[in-house]
């Protein structure tokens, strides 16, 4: 209901309203909480020098994420202790890093999956190489300080084993972690460049393959980088133990050992088989 006041009472209300509006306008010009111009946007957070560490997946079929790399000056490549020719591919690049993890594990149980060759092989395949569909262990063979773990696709149309990951203990102690050193190849191999050789860009890569209508892709990676250093895609191949050959250019190599990975697929999955080798930068 609207109540209309007589004229003598309406004028004072109008004067009050004008006065209130004037005061509010003056306050609005100064801003809230201080004089005009004093409010500034918050500064941006400081960027970290390395990518965030991947959190381990609690599910039974997913391997833990990649451990964060230790910031250090470039080191020379050295074979794993006790092995004259095995190069460290992942997750550690130096014996110093492996020993740092051992100390952290003994003091607080840090990342115990490094003591499991199956989890290390799956994490290498899914999180480092990026082949997430290759998510199950197909075979296991452990003898002394070496292990060979088969990995493959899940599902009814699985083609079996995509690769057999070769691992070795990085160190001689009882808590020495497992380190990926390469793959054991049968129907798909990567023989050029030679394992442990010094690589330069552009790099000739090749090997042998058995299959039909294969499509070979080559990537170059290093543990300290999330991004690829180089890639070459894709070349047609097939037949019975037929040679395949390609060339890949790469930049940004900083680690002492690089991973060269060749993959093929396209029939039931993007990646159905793969093979890796190790090359040195110095």
């Amino acid at each position: 209901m609207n109540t209309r006041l007589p004229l003598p009472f309406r004028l004072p209300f109008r004067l009050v309203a004008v006065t209130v509006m004037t005061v509010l306008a003056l306050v609005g010009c100064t801003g809230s909480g201080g004089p005009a111009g004093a409010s500034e946007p918050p500064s941006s957070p400081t960027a970290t020098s390395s990518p965030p560490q991947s959190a381990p997946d609690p599910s039974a079929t997913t391997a833990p994420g990649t451990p964060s790399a230790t910031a250090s000056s470039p080191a020379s490549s050295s074979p794993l202790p006790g092995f004259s020719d095995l190069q460290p591919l992942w997750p550690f690049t130096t014996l110093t890093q492996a020993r740092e993890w051992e100390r952290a594990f003994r003091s607080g149980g840090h990342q115990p999956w490094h003591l499991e060759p199956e989890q290390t092989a799956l994490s290498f395949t899914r999180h480092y190489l990026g082949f997430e569909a290759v998510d199950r262990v197909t075979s296991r063979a452990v003898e002394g300080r070496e292990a060979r773990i088969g990995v493959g696709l899940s599902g009814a149309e699985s083609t079996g084993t995509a690769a057999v990951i070769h691992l070795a203990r990085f160190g001689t102690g009882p808590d020495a972690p497992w380190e990926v050193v390469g793959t054991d190849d049968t129907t798909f191999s990567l023989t050029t460049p030679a394992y442990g050789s010094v690589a330069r860009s552009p790099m000739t890569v090749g090997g042998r393959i058995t299959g039909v209508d294969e499509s070979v892709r080559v990537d170059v990676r290093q543990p300290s980088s999330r991004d690829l250093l180089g890639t070459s895609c894709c070349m047609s191949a097939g037949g019975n133990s037929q040679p395949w050959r390609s060339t890949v250019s790469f930049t940004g190599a900083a680690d002492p050992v690089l991973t060269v990975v060749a993959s093929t697929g396209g029939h039931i999955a993007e990646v159905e088989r793969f093979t890796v080798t190790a090359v040195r930068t110095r």
Side-chain angles (χ1 to χ4, degrees):
M1 178 178 65
N2 293 327
T3 303
R4 186 176 181 81
L5 297 174
L7 183 59
F9 292 95
R10 279 182 274 161
L11 290 177
F13 284 116
R14 291 178 179 176
L15 291 174
V16 170
V18 171
T19 303
V20 171
M21 292 176 64
T22 302
V23 171
L24 290 175
L26 290 173
V27 172
C29 290
T30 63
S32 176
S39 177
E40 298 180 359
S43 59
S44 302
T46 303
T48 58
S49 60
S50 61
Q53 179 177 330
S54 301
D57 190 317
S59 66
T61 58
T62 302
T66 306
S68 57
T70 303
S72 60
S73 58
S76 299
S77 171
S78 299
L80 270 67
F83 301 96
S84 62
D85 57 350
L86 296 183
Q87 298 293 327
L89 282 177
W90 189 90
F92 304 103
T93 60
T94 64
L95 181 59
T96 298
Q97 287 184 0
R99 286 173 173 169
E100 287 175 354
W101 171 80
E102 286 187 68
R103 287 191 291 270
F105 172 74
R106 290 166 186 160
S107 62
H110 182 65
Q111 294 181 329
W113 60 270
H114 287 297
L115 295 177
E116 301 178 11
E118 297 92 342
Q119 291 290 343
T120 303
L122 282 176
S123 190
F124 170 78
T125 302
R126 303 188 66 209
H127 296 274
Y128 178 53
L129 299 183
F131 303 154
E132 294 195 3
V134 183
D135 59 358
R136 70 184 181 97
V137 172
T138 60
S139 63
R140 178 184 189 273
V142 179
E143 185 175 352
R145 297 177 56 220
E146 295 184 74
R148 288 167 172 82
I149 306 297
V151 295
L153 299 165
S154 295
E157 295 184 336
S158 172
T159 56
T161 298
V164 176
I165 311 298
H166 184 189
L167 306 97
R169 293 274 196 174
F170 205 159
T172 57
D175 295 328
W178 288 102
E179 177 83 2
V180 174
V181 296
T183 53
D184 283 3
D185 305 322
T186 53
T187 60
F188 184 32
S189 64
L190 201 169
T191 55
T192 302
Y195 182 88
S197 61
V198 176
R200 297 289 182 263
S201 180
M203 177 170 55
T204 299
V205 293
R208 290 188 174 272
I209 190 168
T210 295
V212 179
D213 295 331
E214 303 296 337
S215 180
V216 178
R217 172 187 173 122
V218 178
D219 294 327
V220 182
R221 292 184 175 275
Q222 64 182 0
S224 65
S225 303
R226 287 184 180 270
D227 297 332
L228 291 171
L229 302 184
T231 188
S232 175
C233 184
C234 293
M235 67 159 296
S236 299
N240 183 18
S241 191
Q242 292 299 303
W244 66 271
R245 190 179 183 90
S246 184
T247 301
V248 61
S249 298
F250 61 93
T251 59
D255 292 356
V257 178
L258 306 181
T259 304
V260 183
V261 51
S263 60
T264 184
H267 303 95
I268 64 171
E270 182 179 359
V271 175
E272 297 163 358
R273 287 180 292 168
F274 67 91
T275 171
V276 305
T277 193
V279 294
R280 296 180 295 114
T281 58
R282 57 184 73 89

